[in-house]
Amino acid sequence: MVSNYLLQLSRQSENKTLALFSTVYSEMSPLSRNPIRELYETIRVNLVSERPGAADDLELVTDKFFRNLFPVAYHHAIHSDMQQDRGTSSSGSGKRDFHSDYKNCLVHTYNDLQPFGSVPRELSASLVSSVSAASVLLRVLREGADVLAKLEEIGVTAPLCKKALLRMNYCGSCNLFDHLHAKPCAGLCHNVMRGCLIEYVGLLNKDWSTFTESIVPLINTVRSQQGIEMEIKSLDGKLSRAIMQAMETGPQLEKQGIIVNT
């Protein structure tokens, strides 16, 4: 199923992101695991959500992710690099948390400093767009499955159909016995099914037309370069780009008034 594939893809991407942080940003890896897991879990919840407007949660969690990642990135990647440039050791800093006042101070400067540049804003917009389109597609597929389920139920619920189906059981052609020579039953199977469906055709046709009209553009959107598959696969790279952006602007962040208390 499509939903299972996307959920599995998100878990693979999550593992890839955690491995990237563990290897490339090892100092900040321990404190970044939970935010990363929360971000991916929110993506998965939104993919299968039946609630309209669920994408708002994803936007909030994405903003929260970067806001909470800033103190970790600054303390263990940005500031530690500057300390090393000054000849000051920061060995082992990634293995422990740091003071809450220090973190709160950095969090409160996030909006003014914008340490990750445009990456959080762009990532939030692309995530919300791609996840929303994918969740709509999954809902439409579920509705299509419901329509097919109606087709399966029709033949056994209508009284006239029950009687006709009973007659079909005694027809050799319908049971695939000597099909070419069972002339008395020729066309009986098709006629019975058409007769059973006739009173439901209007309802089913409306549902099915809505389904087919909705699903084609959704599939094209989901499979595009901006679709959910490409978005999930590239998520680790975008998160890494955000940290690199913050590291490049590290000296500028201090000039803007960050007081370092290590």
Side-chain angles (χ1 to χ4, degrees):
M1 292 179 63
V2 178
S3 59
N4 290 339
Y5 167 71
L6 291 178
L7 293 176
Q8 182 180 12
L9 189 65
S10 74
R11 292 187 179 94
Q12 292 173 351
S13 177
E14 179 181 355
N15 291 334
K16 187 178 177 183
T17 300
L18 290 170
L20 171 71
F21 273 66
S22 178
T23 303
V24 181
Y25 308 110
S26 57
E27 289 295 314
M28 58 182 292
S29 176
L31 296 178
S32 61
R33 285 180 191 140
N34 286 338
I36 289 172
R37 285 170 176 156
E38 182 182 4
L39 177 64
Y40 275 96
E41 184 60 27
T42 304
I43 292 173
R44 287 190 284 270
V45 169
N46 276 264
L47 279 174
V48 298
S49 176
E50 297 280 357
R51 179 170 57 87
D56 293 341
D57 295 341
L58 182 57
E59 186 174 4
L60 291 173
V61 169
T62 303
D63 178 74
K64 176 185 174 185
F65 169 79
F66 282 106
R67 192 177 296 274
N68 291 336
L69 184 67
F70 175 42
V72 180
Y74 185 82
H75 186 69
H76 295 303
I78 303 169
H79 179 57
S80 65
D81 279 356
M82 291 188 290
Q83 290 285 65
Q84 289 173 15
D85 291 341
R86 297 166 185 161
T88 305
S89 174
S90 60
S91 176
S93 61
K95 295 181 176 60
R96 66 177 190 276
D97 202 347
F98 42 100
H99 199 280
S100 60
D101 290 342
Y102 176 63
K103 287 193 289 187
N104 290 334
C105 176
L106 291 172
V107 168
H108 285 117
T109 63
Y110 176 82
N111 287 338
D112 294 329
L113 297 175
Q114 295 295 308
F116 302 114
S118 62
V119 176
R121 183 173 61 256
E122 294 169 355
L123 178 60
S124 177
S126 60
L127 264 180
V128 169
S129 176
S130 60
V131 171
S132 296
S135 65
V136 172
L137 173 61
L138 293 177
R139 284 200 298 271
V140 171
L141 289 174
R142 287 192 291 269
E143 290 175 5
D146 290 340
V147 173
L148 295 177
K150 290 179 185 178
L151 286 171
E152 293 181 353
E153 294 172 359
I154 285 172
V156 296
T157 57
L160 291 178
C161 285
K162 289 183 179 180
K163 186 175 182 180
L165 289 169
L166 182 61
R167 285 196 301 128
M168 281 175 55
N169 285 333
Y170 295 97
C171 174
S173 177
C174 292
N175 285 316
L176 302 180
F177 297 134
D178 197 14
H179 176 74
L180 296 177
H181 298 92
K183 293 181 181 179
C185 292
L188 176 61
C189 303
H190 292 160
N191 288 337
V192 168
M193 293 313 297
R194 276 196 294 265
C196 286
L197 290 174
I198 193 65
E199 63 178 294
Y200 301 95
V201 166
L203 175 61
L204 292 172
N205 187 56
K206 180 181 178 181
D207 287 348
W208 196 253
S209 295
T210 302
F211 172 74
T212 54
E213 289 173 4
S214 301
I215 199 170
V216 174
L218 283 172
I219 290 175
N220 292 336
T221 300
V222 168
R223 297 183 65 184
S224 70
Q225 288 295 317
Q226 293 75 39
I228 185 63
E229 185 173 356
M230 293 301 297
E231 185 65 29
I232 291 178
K233 287 181 177 180
S234 63
L235 192 51
D236 63 312
K238 292 182 178 180
L239 296 180
S240 179
R241 183 159 60 90
I243 296 174
M244 294 299 295
Q245 171 75 24
M247 292 175 69
E248 289 175 5
T249 58
Q252 182 182 350
L253 296 180
E254 281 204 326
K255 290 179 182 178
Q256 288 178 267
I258 291 182
I259 299 175
V260 181
N261 297 310
T262 54

